[in-house]
Amino acid sequence: MGRARNARPRDGLGRPLPYGAPGVARQPEGVSRTPAQSLAEAQRLLDAGMPFHAHEVLEDAWKAAPEAERELWRGLAQLAVGLTHAARGNAVGGRSLLDRGTAAIAPYADAVPYGIDIAGLIAWARELTGHLAGPGTTVPAAGSAPRLRAAGGRSGNHPAVDGAGDRPAADG
């Protein structure tokens, strides 16, 4: 068990909102999912511009994973949090978590567990990190979301960064 969750409402990027404000429903904690279900739910949330919520799903998978897979799931959760920070305008935090997530998943590149596009995710994280030039740089969460699994042998992992820092409505 981790620490208790704060009941304060949150926006689509997990930022706290004032008490009483309508927020985005949090992901239920401790849900038992198969790896395929975890990846599908995390992808759905990433595609909706909700990487903070995807991180919560991946964190559940990390906590439930066998020892040999924990770093994989932890790394995927860190990539989602890295995107969260990047979309919030925290370039330093985004770069740091993207780097940590990349380092955590890299050892799994030859195994390709659960069809996860390790090489594509590493390339995506490096490209996104390159776009995080300085403080206040933002990226659109949904437009920059990675593909967790390769579709038809192609990753399609390229963040949509236009430099303008626009955020889609799903962000908050």
Side-chain angles (χ1 to χ4, degrees), residues 20-122:
V24 174
R26 299 279 301 266
Q27 290 300 299
E29 192 171 12
V31 174
S32 179
R33 297 177 181 93
T34 66
Q37 291 169 329
S38 294
L39 291 166
E41 180 64 4
Q43 188 67 64
R44 182 187 73 76
L45 292 163
L46 288 166
D47 291 345
M50 296 170 45
F52 177 81
H53 297 77
H55 135 268
E56 291 179 325
V57 169
L58 295 166
E59 188 174 87
D60 278 344
W62 159 26
K63 291 176 181 178
E67 186 65 36
E69 294 179 7
R70 286 207 178 121
E71 283 300 299
L72 168 70
W73 294 102
R74 185 176 88 147
L76 293 173
Q78 288 171 325
L79 293 176
V81 175
L83 177 55
T84 299
H85 283 289
R88 288 178 178 175
N90 178 359
V92 172
R95 284 192 308 266
S96 176
L97 281 154
L98 290 167
D99 289 346
R100 279 192 269 162
T102 297
I105 68 171
Y108 298 90
D110 291 336
V112 190
Y114 309 110
I116 297 170
D117 184 11
I118 302 292
L121 286 168
I122 291 170

Side-chain angles (χ1 to χ4, degrees), residues 87 138-144 160 162-169 171:
T138 62
V139 299
S144 299
D162 62 9
D166 294 330
R167 294 185 187 173
D171 286 358

